């Protein structure tokens, strides 16, 4: 099939900048200051995250890739034939390539990512390597409702959500997100999801606080973005990166901790920090196979199959919407 995008230009459905300011001000008004993790992923943040995935401490990416390599044909076989495959928060195409080589009859591939320039570059590279594949990139915030191109016809829908991103959401929000994916993909669709598993705390904490400090730079980059886009006055060196496993909640928490009392401004509005006060920037929930299946079932998805690595560090789930 002839690709429809000669320049891989994404269809943009990204949120307006005002949403960023509103979310920052709302988060900073809480007793525990917070920032939504989705704002990590500007161009610099996307590049830093790709660097994180190559770190020796960061097991999720290499483990998931090993699962996709070992079980790629089985995972692809779980998808409907001739499907339009939607990858939510696509970023790099490294993982989906493991499936594409087993999906020669795919009707279309639709990568969805908030960073339009990064999405465009990845789409262009993908078209070079898979010239017969129809690629329709969509620049959108996948956490909000968005529309698929109208010309997909009656091709069955499938979804791909790798990388344990589902763990970045509170369980209730993760269930809401899974319901939203179902609304976009439709009844009978199949969703493939990467899910990080509960394991030794030391392994988990090292993965989010690497010796080279790349994760710390990724965490602080959100302050750089606030300075650049919202007129912020943050001194990045005045905030320390902290990652800790919260056993009761079964999640890794990332924080930016004020090294001393200080006042900053965002869009001209003052924000005070006490010494030791933190901004809670990210959660990464860890599941068992059973607890994730229960979460998915609460959103209407039934289990089809699950694949894990020999050490049970990570899992890849195939789900079907009833």
């Amino acid at each position: 099939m002839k690709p429809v995008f000669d320049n891989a230009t994404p269809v943009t459905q990204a949120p307006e900048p005002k949403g960023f300011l509103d979310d920052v001000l709302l988060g900073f008004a809480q007793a525990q200051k917070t920032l939504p993790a989705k704002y990590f992923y500007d161009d610099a943040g996307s590049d830093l995250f790709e660097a994180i995935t190559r770190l020796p401490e960061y097991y999720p990416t290499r483990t998931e890739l090993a699962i996709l390599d070992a079980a790629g044909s089985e995972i692809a076989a779980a998808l409907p034939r001739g499907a339009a495959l939607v990858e939510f928060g696509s970023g790099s195409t490294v993982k989906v390539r493991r499936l594409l080589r087993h999906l020669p009859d795919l009707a279309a591939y639709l990568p969805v990512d908030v960073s339009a320039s990064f999405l465009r570059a990845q789409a262009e590279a993908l078209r070079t390597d898979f010239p017969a594949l129809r690629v329709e990139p969509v620049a959108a915030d996948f956490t909000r409702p968005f529309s698929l191109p109208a010309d997909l016809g009656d091709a069955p829908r499938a979804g791909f959500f790798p990388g344990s991103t589902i763990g970045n959401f509170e369980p209730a929000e993760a269930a809401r997100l899974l319901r939203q994916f179902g609304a976009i993909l439709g009844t009978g669709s199949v969703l493939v999801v990467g899910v990080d598993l509960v394991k030794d705390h030391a392994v988990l904490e090292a993965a989010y606080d690497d010796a080279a400090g790349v994760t710390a730079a990724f965490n602080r980059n959100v302050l750089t973005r606030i300075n650049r886009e919202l007129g912020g006055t943050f001194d990045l060196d005045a905030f320390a990166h902290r990652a800790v496993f919260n056993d009761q909640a079964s999640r890794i928490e990332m924080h930016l901790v004020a090294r001393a009392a200080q006042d900053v401004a965002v869009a001209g509005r003052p924000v005070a920090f006490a010494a030791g006060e933190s901004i809670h920037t990210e959660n990464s929930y860890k599941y068992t196979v059973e607890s994730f299946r229960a979460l998915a079932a609460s959103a209407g998805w039934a289990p089809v199959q699950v694949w894990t690595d020999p050490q049970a560090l990570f899992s890849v789930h195939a789900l079907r919407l009833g």
Side-chain angles (χ1 to χ4, degrees):
M1 181 178 295
K2 182 181 178 181
V4 296
F5 277 69
D6 292 337
N7 296 309
T9 303
V11 176
T12 301
Q13 302 176 40
E16 295 180 359
K18 186 174 182 292
F20 184 21
L21 176 59
D22 289 345
D23 286 347
V24 170
L25 294 178
L26 177 63
F28 284 176
Q30 308 305 310
Q32 167 62 73
K33 293 180 172 64
T34 63
L35 285 172
K38 65 184 179 182
Y39 292 117
F40 281 137
Y41 298 97
D42 61 355
D43 290 347
S46 295
D47 289 343
L48 282 166
F49 183 73
E50 291 305 313
I52 287 170
T53 66
R54 297 187 290 270
L55 293 169
E57 299 96 332
Y58 194 78
Y59 65 86
T61 299
R62 64 174 177 270
T63 307
E64 186 177 27
L65 286 172
I67 294 170
L68 293 173
D69 283 336
S73 61
E74 294 179 20
I75 297 169
L79 304 182
R81 291 183 61 86
L85 179 62
V86 181
E87 183 173 2
F88 300 97
S90 59
S92 168
T93 59
V94 169
K95 292 173 185 173
V96 78
R97 287 169 182 268
R98 264 66 175 185
L99 297 185
L100 291 178
R101 63 193 184 196
H102 300 292
L103 293 166
D105 61 349
L106 202 65
Y109 169 63
L110 299 96
V112 181
D113 197 280
V114 72
S115 176
S117 60
F118 188 77
L119 180 65
R120 183 181 300 109
Q122 293 297 318
E124 289 172 349
L126 195 66
R127 285 187 59 242
T128 298
D129 295 337
F130 294 86
L133 179 65
R134 175 182 175 181
V135 180
E136 295 206 27
V138 178
D141 179 352
F142 70 82
T143 68
R144 303 182 182 188
F146 65 90
S147 300
L148 298 178
D151 62 350
L152 293 175
D154 59 358
R157 308 298 198 253
F160 188 45
F161 194 44
S164 73
T165 307
I166 193 70
N168 294 143
F169 297 86
E170 297 289 326
E173 283 299 297
R176 182 200 63 77
L177 187 65
L178 291 173
R179 284 192 292 271
Q180 178 181 294
F181 289 172
I184 291 170
L185 296 173
T187 301
S189 58
V190 173
L191 177 66
V192 174
V193 188
V195 181
D196 200 7
L197 299 176
V198 176
K199 60 187 65 67
D200 181 79
H201 296 185
V203 174
L204 284 167
E205 291 180 355
Y208 293 83
D209 192 9
D210 60 279
V214 181
T215 309
F218 173 72
N219 200 8
R220 291 190 189 97
N221 181 66
V222 72
L223 302 183
T224 300
R225 185 173 179 186
I226 291 172
N227 286 351
R228 182 181 67 248
E229 298 182 25
L230 304 179
T233 61
F234 281 96
D235 175 1
L236 272 60
D237 292 335
F239 287 83
H241 167 70
R242 184 176 73 199
V244 63
F245 187 71
N246 181 330
D247 189 62
Q248 184 174 3
S250 192
R251 71 190 187 194
I252 281 280
E253 296 179 1
M254 289 209 319
H255 293 257
L256 290 166
V257 184
R259 299 182 189 274
Q262 56 196 283
D263 295 310
V264 302
V266 177
R269 306 180 194 193
V271 182
F273 287 88
E277 185 177 7
S278 77
I279 308 169
H280 189 171
T281 54
E282 184 179 43
N283 290 321
S284 186
Y285 283 85
K286 309 304 173 184
Y287 292 91
T288 64
V289 168
E290 294 76 17
S291 66
F292 179 73
R293 282 181 162 177
L295 176 74
S298 74
W301 293 92
V304 175
Q305 196 167 351
V306 62
W307 299 267
T308 64
D309 60 286
Q311 290 75 40
L313 297 173
F314 199 89
S315 60
V316 175
H317 295 249
L319 309 169
R320 179 173 287 109
L321 189 65

